[in-house]
């Protein structure tokens, strides 16, 4: 049944490890797979971790996620070569998987306050981690090595929005 739904646990684990281990180069085969199960689980985990802090921000999570995915889809297709393009589902998959460090930050915020200097530094590190992982995924998918900094800037802004939801 899971195979018919397009849920491949091996690809989910490989993409998750590619986000968590920044030195690991993502395999091109798993980058082609536009998996939606992992990003949905990570968005639900982010909402659940925020709910543990008595913050009901599911609408903000899905709102920023939807607007960010459509915006990044548009930007990436405008910046890519005419023979290479990315579909909206692959964009959602990349951005959703790279949200995992923010989920870890939200889980950490249930125990510790992130409103001090240490929390600010940890939040900045997490945003950079998400940005680097997503930029690497886009590079592997579209071959945009020369444009990686142009791709990284809107990604950093998007993940900063999620970090602000998590901290405040």
């Amino acid at each position: 049944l899971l195979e018919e739904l397009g849920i491949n646990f091996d690809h989910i684990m490989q993409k998750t490890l590619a986000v968590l281990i920044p030195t690991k180069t993502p395999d091109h085969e798993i980058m082609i797979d536009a998996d939606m199960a992992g990003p949905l689980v990570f968005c639900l985990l982010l909402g659940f971790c925020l709910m543990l802090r008595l913050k009901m921000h599911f609408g903000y999570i899905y709102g920023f996620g939807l607007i960010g995915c459509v915006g990044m889809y548009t930007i990436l297709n405008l910046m890519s070569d005419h023979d290479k393009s990315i579909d909206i589902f692959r964009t959602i998959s990349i951005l959703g998987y790279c949200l995992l460090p923010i989920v870890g930050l939200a889980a950490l915020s249930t125990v510790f306050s992130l409103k001090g200097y240490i929390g600010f530094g940890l939040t900045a590190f997490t945003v950079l981690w998400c940005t680097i992982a997503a930029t690497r995924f886009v590079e592997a998918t579209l071959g945009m090595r020369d444009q990686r900094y142009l791709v990284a800037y809107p990604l950093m802004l998007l993940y900063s929005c999620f970090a602000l939801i998590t901290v405040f």
Side-chain angles (χ1 to χ4, degrees):
L1 179 65
L2 293 176
E3 187 175 316
E4 291 175 5
L5 292 173
I7 299 173
N8 188 345
F9 286 113
D10 186 45
H11 284 185
I12 292 172
M13 185 58 93
Q14 287 179 5
K15 281 187 180 181
T16 304
L17 287 176
V19 171
L20 293 177
I21 304 170
T23 58
K24 182 178 172 140
T25 56
D27 188 21
H28 186 68
E29 179 184 329
I30 65 167
M31 289 293 106
I32 293 173
D33 185 22
D35 176 34
M36 296 298 210
L40 181 65
V41 168
F42 294 150
C43 285
L44 287 173
L45 275 174
L46 178 61
F48 180 72
C49 288
L50 292 177
M51 194 171 63
L52 289 176
R53 292 183 52 208
L54 302 176
K55 295 181 178 183
M56 299 296 288
H57 292 311
F58 286 102
Y60 290 123
I61 293 168
Y62 289 114
F64 280 127
L66 180 68
I67 299 296
C69 288
V70 170
M72 283 306 300
Y73 165 74
T74 305
I75 290 171
L76 290 175
N77 280 323
L78 288 173
M79 289 175 59
S80 67
D81 293 333
H82 294 292
D83 59 339
K84 292 182 180 178
S85 65
I86 190 168
D87 59 345
I88 189 72
F89 300 112
R90 199 171 308 153
T91 306
I92 293 170
S93 178
I94 289 171
L95 295 179
Y97 272 104
C98 294
L99 191 66
L100 185 60
I102 298 286
V103 174
L105 183 71
L108 191 65
S109 74
T110 59
V111 180
F112 302 109
S113 174
L114 297 175
K115 293 184 181 177
Y117 291 116
I118 295 173
F120 175 72
L122 191 61
T123 302
F125 173 75
T126 305
V127 169
L128 286 175
W129 186 358
C130 293
T131 303
I132 290 169
T135 304
R136 282 183 38 245
F137 278 25
V138 170
E139 282 179 30
T141 303
L142 293 176
M144 298 175 73
R145 179 86 176 149
D146 295 334
Q147 300 168 331
R148 67 180 175 259
Y149 298 114
L150 293 174
V151 171
Y153 180 69
L155 286 171
M156 184 178 66
L157 292 176
L158 176 66
Y159 290 121
S160 295
C161 290
F162 285 108
L164 286 173
I165 292 171
T166 303
V167 172
F168 299 107

